[in-house]
């Protein structure tokens, strides 16, 4: 079957407030019938890209066509031909499921008869028929997500955009949503573009995955091809102390048959947090400004910050740019040709330095490893990391109208 590009993106860029380049000159195409995924950490630019394609947000530069319609020249046709499920829930919980769908159908100008028929049909697809007349406030998280997907499909779009379809859902509900997405794609011929920061979701669902980091595409291929770029096995070493991992890193990197040895932070976000606090203090902190509560760990209350906001920004930039995060790693991932063959030698080398390993793992490269190799970081760690703190802080300041030096 001949491949038809349903989405063509050319040099798309979005800069916020003249400062934050959220999407940085990206170009790609999506074929009709694909499930195409954007994989990236918080703040990578996934939602911004989707919003530009859905004509909700104007690009600073570049262009795109969706279903053959240009986003600049024919935004109305683009909007009519797509369905969109937003990252943040937008259901009216004081209405029933059916009423939410009906409201949407009216917005799209469907007649009463069309609305009734399509709503009945689409409720079947997402298996919500028996709960359709209950108030949405009585729905579970998974049911709400299904209803939002149903709403996105009501006007039979050829393309459905799903922004973080399973964010915050439990594994079982996530699986069920995956099944619906696949069914829509295979049985109803809907091209699907989704964003996620769950590597297993991207791996399971997507025909092709685009890894996006700091607004740039850093990889784009099928899950299998992405994993195949890392030939061999991954040996994961966990040390008891950061100092031990730091000492071993250059030694392991010297070994001929080690393709790469990469420090992996994370398991230990407390350590990352405390090294940041220490750094803040050394820059003259002492009460004053407080950081907002952070999502990803830390645990021990708000760190005390330098009084001067410019200094905070500077410290965060230093942490971000000079690998402050990495100073707290206790894990090293080694890419080797054959883990079972090399493992004894690796253990011997560590032993020779007088260090005892806490644990060892052996795995085939996963998408997590691909992400690590193309970005230098693990996607999970990013969720609560200094980098995302820095980004949130920057956004907060901008929202308050403050200037943030780049
Ligand atoms: N309206 C806005 N004004 C200023 N900055 C913004 C705005 N929207 C997004 N940004 C910034 O643009 C960058 C990309 O944000 P975006 O929401 O596209 O990321 P994302 O990949 O969807 O992240 P997440 O996984 O957290 O949803 C971030 O640095 C964010 O702070
Ligand atoms: Mg987003």
């Amino acid at each position: 079957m001949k491949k038809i590009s349903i989405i063509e993106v050319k040099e798309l860029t979005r800069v916020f407030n003249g400062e934050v380049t959220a999407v940085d000159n990206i170009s790609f195409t999506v074929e009709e019938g694909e499930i195409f995924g954007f994989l990236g950490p918080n703040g990578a630019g996934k939602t911004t890209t989707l919003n530009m394609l859905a004509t909700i947000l104007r690009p600073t530069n570049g262009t795109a066509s969706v279903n053959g319609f240009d986003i600049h020249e024919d935004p109305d046709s683009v909007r009519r031909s797509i369905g969109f499920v937003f990252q943040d829930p937008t259901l009216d919980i004081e209405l029933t499921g059916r009423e939410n769908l009906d409201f949407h159908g009216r917005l799209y100008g469907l007649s009463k008869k069309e609305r009734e028929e399509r709503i009945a049909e689409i409720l079947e697809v997402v298996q919500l028929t028996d709960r359709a007349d209950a108030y949405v406030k009585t729905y579970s998280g998974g049911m709400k997500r299904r209803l939002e997907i149903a709403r996105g499909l009501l006007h039979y779009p050829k393309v459905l955009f799903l922004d973080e379809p399973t964010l915050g859902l439990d594994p079982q509900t996530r699986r069920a949503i995956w099944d619906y997405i696949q069914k829509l794609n295979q049985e109803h011929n809907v091209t699907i573009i989704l964003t996620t920061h769950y590597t297993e979701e991207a791996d399971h669902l997507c025909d092709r995955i685009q890894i996006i980091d700091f607004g740039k595409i850093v990889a784009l291929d099928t899950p299998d091809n992405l994993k195949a770029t890392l030939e061999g096995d991954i040996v994961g070493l966990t040390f008891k102390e950061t100092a031990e991992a730091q000492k071993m890193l250059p030694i392991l990197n010297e070994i001929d048959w080690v393709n790469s040895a990469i420090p992996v932070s994370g398991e230990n976000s407390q350590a990352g947090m405390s090294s940041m606090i220490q750094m803040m203090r050394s820059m003259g902190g002492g009460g004053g400004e407080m950081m907002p509560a952070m999502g990803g760990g830390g645990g021990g209350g708000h760190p005390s910050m330098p009084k001067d906001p410019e200094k905070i920004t500077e410290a965060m930039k230093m942490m971000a740019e000079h690998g402050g995060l990495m100073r707290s790693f206790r894990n090293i991932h080694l890419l080797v040709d054959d883990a079972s063959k090399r493992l004894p030698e690796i253990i011997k080398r560590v032993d020779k330095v007088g260090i005892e390993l806490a644990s060892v793992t052996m795995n085939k490269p996963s998408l997590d490893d691909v992400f690590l190799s193309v970005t230098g970081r693990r996607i999970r760690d990013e969720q609560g990391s200094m980098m995302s703190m820095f980004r949130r802080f920057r956004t907060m300041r901008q929202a308050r109208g403050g200037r943030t030096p780049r």
Side-chain angles (χ1 to χ4, degrees):
M1 201 178 82
K2 190 178 168 299
K3 284 186 179 169
I4 302 165
S5 300
I6 201 155
I7 293 183
E8 288 187 27
V9 177
K10 286 198 199 93
E11 298 169 8
L12 209 57
T13 297
R14 174 68 204 215
V15 181
F16 285 111
N17 310 318
E19 285 194 339
V20 179
T21 307
V23 175
D24 194 355
N25 196 20
I26 63 171
S27 302
F28 61 93
T29 58
V30 178
E31 313 296 345
E32 188 167 12
E34 270 192 304
I35 301 184
F36 186 90
F38 283 38
L39 176 69
N42 287 145
K46 305 181 295 294
T47 297
T48 305
T49 306
L50 250 51
N51 285 348
M52 288 191 284
L53 295 179
T55 73
I56 297 165
L57 187 72
R58 276 192 80 80
T60 310
N61 258 312
T63 189
S65 69
V66 178
N67 275 317
F69 304 114
D70 189 282
I71 57 167
H72 293 292
E73 279 157 28
D74 206 352
D76 288 343
S77 301
V78 171
R79 264 174 252 158
R80 261 196 296 275
S81 71
I82 62 166
F84 203 105
V85 177
F86 293 93
Q87 179 166 348
D88 298 317
T90 57
L91 293 166
D92 189 332
I93 59 165
E94 302 294 339
L95 298 179
T96 67
R98 196 186 303 278
E99 286 165 346
N100 266 281
L101 296 179
D102 190 66
F103 182 69
H104 183 84
R106 282 169 199 252
L107 282 183
Y108 274 82
L110 303 181
S111 71
K112 186 163 189 292
K113 186 164 171 284
E114 278 172 325
R115 293 200 305 274
E116 279 171 3
E117 280 172 13
R118 291 192 193 180
I119 288 170
E121 186 188 339
I122 222 77
L123 282 168
E124 275 299 305
V125 174
V126 296
Q127 295 185 325
L128 278 177
T129 306
D130 55 344
R131 292 296 300 273
D133 296 308
Y135 288 116
V136 170
K137 62 186 168 195
T138 68
Y139 283 21
S140 69
M143 288 164 69
K144 285 185 194 142
R145 214 56 184 148
R146 269 146 58 196
L147 184 64
E148 292 199 292
I149 293 174
R151 189 181 53 182
L153 289 167
L154 200 61
H155 52 287
Y156 293 142
K158 284 174 73 180
V159 182
L160 180 65
F161 291 94
L162 297 169
D163 199 357
E164 306 277 358
T166 66
L167 188 67
L169 299 178
D170 62 88
Q172 203 186 341
T173 311
R174 176 171 301 155
R175 286 249 152 212
I177 301 270
W178 289 355
D179 290 345
Y180 291 117
I181 294 174
Q182 280 173 323
K183 194 160 103 182
L184 291 174
N185 177 250
Q186 282 156 19
E187 293 172 22
H188 300 263
N189 250 333
V190 183
T191 304
I192 291 177
I193 292 133
L194 62 91
T195 76
T196 185
H197 57 255
Y198 298 120
T199 47
E200 62 277 26
E201 177 160 292
D203 202 355
H204 179 85
L205 277 180
C206 297
D207 296 308
R208 286 192 304 150
I209 298 168
Q210 168 157 287
I211 300 181
I212 172 163
D213 194 28
F214 295 112
K216 286 195 163 72
I217 298 167
V218 290
L220 169 58
D221 216 324
T222 63
D224 285 346
N225 285 348
L226 286 172
K227 284 181 273 185
T229 58
L230 299 181
E231 266 178 54
D233 300 320
I234 303 285
V235 175
L237 305 177
T238 303
F239 296 86
K240 289 179 179 149
E241 305 284 340
T242 297
E244 294 171 343
Q246 277 172 331
K247 192 167 177 186
M248 281 313 299
L249 186 64
I251 298 172
L252 294 166
N253 251 322
E254 287 273 290
I255 304 174
D256 291 348
W257 40 263
V258 169
N259 268 325
S260 64
I262 306 174
V264 179
S265 65
E267 261 83 71
N268 197 351
S269 67
Q270 188 77 46
M273 185 67 85
S274 59
S275 73
M276 189 191 79
I277 297 168
Q278 259 175 12
M279 182 161 171
M280 293 297 182
R281 295 215 169 108
S282 73
M283 293 188 70
E289 283 228 14
M290 297 290 229
M291 288 297 288
M294 296 302 161
H302 297 301
S304 151
M305 291 288 163
K307 282 205 172 70
D308 181 357
E310 300 291 326
K311 274 211 173 126
I312 302 178
T313 310
E314 203 181 310
M316 288 204 163
K317 270 183 88 167
M318 272 168 69
M319 295 293 293
E321 285 168 11
H322 301 292
L325 245 189
M326 285 305 167
R327 284 186 209 117
S328 67
F329 69 94
R330 280 198 306 131
N331 307 290
I332 295 178
H333 280 195
L334 305 174
L335 178 62
V336 298
D337 49 0
D338 181 346
S340 51
K341 195 171 95 195
R342 302 298 188 185
L343 195 57
E345 180 63 23
I346 293 170
I347 293 171
K348 214 191 281 174
R349 301 262 180 141
V350 177
D351 202 42
K352 218 165 112 188
V353 187
I355 291 174
E356 209 182 310
L357 283 164
S359 65
V360 179
T361 56
M362 286 195 293
N363 284 302
K364 282 279 159 207
S366 66
L367 263 187
D368 278 314
D369 298 303
V370 175
F371 186 85
L372 180 65
S373 90
V374 293
T375 67
R377 301 182 318 286
R378 266 208 315 198
I379 192 162
R380 288 186 203 296
D381 306 340
E382 259 301 282
Q383 307 316 320
S385 73
M386 306 306 156
M387 194 59 92
S388 66
M389 271 166 67
F390 173 57
R391 286 205 193 93
R392 268 189 248 186
F393 177 72
R394 194 169 60 183
T395 312
M396 259 169 40
R397 287 206 61 202
Q398 280 167 353
R400 290 202 310 256
R403 196 188 63 84
T404 308
R406 291 212 81 192

